[in-house]
Amino acid sequence: QREGSEHEKILFCYPPTISIGEQTNYVGLTEGYILCSKQFSPNQPCEAIHTQKTTIGIYSPENDIYMLLSLNNPAGPLGKDGKREYYEDEIDDLLVQKLLQQTYQTWLLFNGTMNSTILRTGNLGGYEYLRKRLDSFLKPYVKMMPLDQLDLFNALGGIKFLPIDKNIYLTIFNYVNSAEVSFQTTLSTFRFGVLLYKDNLILSSMDQNETRLLYNYLVNQVKVGQDSAYCLPLMASNVDNENQWYTKGTSRRTGFLNTPDNVSKRDLPIIYLENGTKPTYMIIYEQKDTISLFLIDPSELDQLLLKELSSCLVSNFEFINPALEDGYNKKTAFDEQYKYIYFNQMNLAIKASIKSKGAELTKETIKMLNEIHSDFEKKLSSEVTIRTQSDRWIVAKKVDYREFYVIFDNKNINILEVTEEVKNLTSKYFKIDHV
């Protein structure tokens, strides 16, 4: 609040090479934008700032706390006059805003709220402890952000579900339930969280947003499933309750992800459920391509015997892995016929034959899809048909809470054929009526 102490407002800055003077100037300028815009729109806060060279997203997740993300606009080659053209509309504001929200929600999951959990409780030194915590969490997190390709997948934040036979589903449910019940006789807070096969969700007992966050954490950050042979980061908390990033390992195995001896519990990650207010230990167990996650209250962690839990899970999941593999192989049959993305906002289910960062997603296509989704969010349209400069057809529909995007690469197909194909496709496979 005093002149000359503006730098004290800064809790975290990346990259760390930016001088404190530059950081202070940046904060002052941004604060000016926010306060100025409040005069014209007191009920709708400023969420984006556009300059010639940068696109800045602003998000206020808690009272008096602001998160900002500044991205460099793409630039053309240097002209004869020594000047460079900047493409100011290439970065979508909605995607930047979603990225900030996802970052905070992930922070909240692993740390709790900044104001209540850390500052108001006077936890280990207040602001200095919060700065230390933010640094240990956000510095590696920012490096993993998909800033090189902000596409529709980032905006939707969907969950891949694996469709399986009803009998197999019931068998899996019974196995999970039996493991939960057998331990609840002595540990009342022990409960099942989520179950995944490769990068697909099978079961979840958690609320929708917590499921989405844990799914994104396990699939995109821990890299379970198909990519589990690689050495990638895994969040954990040490004895001082500070965030640390461990590595998962370099090969598939059976066991708890960050307790190699199946005994030690000091490195189990703590997450904060119920909107960042309830600390809970997370137990992640891997058996071949199956990942099961269980939760337990800190008060009962000492009584939990990991070896007993491991034995229970090994015996239960020996049978279901082949059945899940069979279901996984069957689901790819349709994916090879069309290039599409389908998203259901009600259950966060996403289906796609297009891969993020795949060859199908050129810069032109990414930009088109982002703009269409942004229009859907703003309710400016519900159906769009576009022919791109490369003669590719993109058709998108939004019906109720469902969005469907399909791409046709056939240059000889006309708009009537495209419309008829989409009509048949949506009614047959996704039960979306033609509008």
Side-chain angles (χ1 to χ4, degrees):
Q1 298 297 313
R2 304 182 311 278
E3 186 175 351
S5 65
E6 294 87 355
H7 63 281
E8 294 177 4
K9 296 181 179 183
I10 301 166
L11 298 174
F12 173 80
C13 180
Y14 184 91
T17 52
I18 299 175
S19 69
I20 192 66
E22 287 181 275
Q23 293 180 37
T24 304
N25 291 338
Y26 193 81
V27 169
L29 183 63
T30 308
E31 198 171 24
Y33 283 127
I34 293 169
L35 294 174
C36 179
S37 64
K38 274 187 178 179
Q39 305 298 317
F40 303 97
S41 179
N43 299 320
Q44 182 64 40
C46 177
E47 294 182 340
I49 300 169
H50 285 236
T51 69
Q52 181 187 36
K53 295 183 179 181
T54 60
T55 296
I56 303 168
I58 304 172
Y59 177 55
S60 179
E62 300 180 30
N63 289 337
D64 301 323
I65 290 178
Y66 288 85
M67 296 174 65
L68 290 89
L69 177 63
S70 177
L71 300 177
N72 294 327
N73 293 328
L78 206 62
K80 294 181 179 178
D81 56 358
K83 296 181 179 180
R84 197 183 301 272
E85 181 184 3
Y86 291 88
Y87 307 113
E88 300 174 33
D89 297 324
E90 288 293 310
I91 299 175
D92 190 276
D93 290 341
L94 178 65
L95 285 174
V96 179
Q97 188 67 205
K98 290 279 181 74
L99 199 57
L100 281 169
Q101 291 172 7
Q102 289 165 11
T103 301
Y104 174 74
Q105 287 173 350
T106 308
W107 156 271
L108 188 68
L109 182 69
F110 283 99
N111 301 273
T113 60
M114 298 184 201
N115 277 319
S116 300
T117 307
I118 297 179
L119 292 180
R120 287 179 188 165
T121 57
N123 192 352
L124 300 177
Y127 286 107
E128 283 309 309
Y129 177 66
L130 177 56
R131 289 189 180 97
K132 186 177 180 181
R133 187 92 177 223
L134 283 163
D135 189 74
S136 65
F137 179 85
L138 285 177
K139 194 180 289 182
Y141 184 90
V142 171
K143 293 177 182 178
M144 292 189 295
M145 280 181 166
L147 301 177
D148 58 330
Q149 188 167 9
L150 292 176
D151 57 31
L152 186 61
F153 291 97
N154 304 119
L156 297 175
I159 299 171
K160 291 181 184 176
F161 289 83
L162 181 64
I164 53 177
D165 178 83
K166 182 180 178 180
N167 292 329
I168 297 297
Y169 180 86
L170 291 174
T171 302
I172 295 170
F173 181 82
N174 287 333
Y175 281 163
V176 169
N177 188 58
S178 66
E180 187 177 54
V181 170
S182 65
F183 281 87
Q184 282 180 348
T185 55
T186 55
L187 303 167
S188 60
T189 63
F190 180 85
R191 67 186 180 96
F192 164 72
V194 297
L195 177 72
L196 295 96
Y197 181 77
K198 293 191 175 177
D199 54 355
N200 296 266
L201 183 68
I202 308 295
L203 285 172
S204 175
S205 69
M206 309 177 74
D207 73 33
Q208 197 175 74
N209 190 53
E210 289 171 352
T211 300
R212 184 212 294 254
L213 289 170
L214 282 175
Y215 174 86
N216 179 67
Y217 165 70
L218 290 169
V219 172
N220 297 323
Q221 290 165 320
V222 178
K223 298 286 186 182
V224 301
Q226 291 176 299
D227 298 322
S228 65
Y230 299 98
C231 186
L232 289 150
L234 173 65
M235 173 60 71
S237 298
N238 64 12
V239 289
D240 296 322
N241 203 27
E242 293 176 14
N243 298 129
Q244 291 188 339
W245 295 90
Y246 289 83
T247 52
K248 177 180 176 300
T250 55
S251 62
R252 298 175 189 269
R253 63 181 183 84
T254 293
F256 299 100
L257 290 190
N258 53 334
T259 55
D261 55 7
N262 286 348
V263 175
S264 173
K265 291 173 279 193
R266 68 180 296 275
D267 289 331
L268 289 176
I270 292 179
I271 57 175
Y272 291 78
L273 304 178
E274 298 178 13
N275 201 28
T277 61
K278 183 177 175 58
T280 307
Y281 274 99
M282 184 167 59
I283 307 156
I284 307 170
Y285 188 83
E286 178 181 27
Q287 185 170 338
K288 296 182 179 178
D289 291 314
T290 305
I291 296 288
S292 51
L293 185 149
F294 294 87
L295 305 164
I296 191 169
D297 190 88
S299 63
E300 294 189 328
L301 182 66
D302 289 341
Q303 286 77 42
L304 174 67
L305 299 176
L306 292 181
K307 281 190 173 181
E308 287 187 10
L309 179 58
S310 176
S311 299
C312 176
L313 295 174
V314 167
S315 60
N316 279 351
F317 286 98
E318 265 315 310
F319 167 74
I320 64 172
N321 272 311
L324 290 174
E325 177 65 25
D326 185 56
Y328 184 84
N329 292 334
K330 286 180 180 177
K331 94 178 183 68
T332 60
F334 165 70
D335 290 351
E336 297 173 356
Q337 299 178 40
Y338 297 96
K339 293 178 180 178
Y340 73 93
I341 301 171
Y342 169 82
F343 178 66
N344 187 335
Q345 195 173 9
M346 293 296 289
N347 61 0
L348 302 180
I350 190 167
K351 301 177 184 178
S353 61
I354 300 171
K355 294 181 179 179
S356 181
K357 299 185 180 180
E360 300 92 345
L361 288 176
T362 63
K363 286 186 177 181
E364 180 189 28
T365 302
I366 290 172
K367 189 172 186 298
M368 292 286 186
L369 293 175
N370 290 345
E371 289 175 351
I372 294 169
H373 173 66
S374 183
D375 287 347
F376 286 168
E377 289 281 290
K378 297 171 185 174
K379 299 182 179 180
L380 298 177
S381 62
S382 60
E383 185 170 0
V384 177
T385 302
I386 297 173
R387 190 163 193 173
T388 67
Q389 292 180 345
S390 57
D391 291 328
R392 163 181 275 185
W393 287 98
I394 299 176
V395 181
K397 296 162 65 74
K398 182 167 186 177
V399 181
D400 298 325
Y401 295 97
R402 293 169 294 170
E403 295 180 39
F404 182 68
Y405 306 81
V406 61
I407 298 170
F408 296 93
D409 287 330
N410 187 349
K411 296 182 179 181
N412 299 319
I413 194 171
N414 60 48
I415 190 169
L416 293 176
E417 292 171 316
V418 167
T419 303
E420 188 63 27
E421 185 72 15
V422 171
K423 181 180 178 180
N424 295 334
L425 177 62
T426 53
S427 61
K428 182 177 180 181
Y429 290 102
F430 300 101
K431 310 301 181 188
I432 298 177
D433 295 328
H434 186 64
V435 293

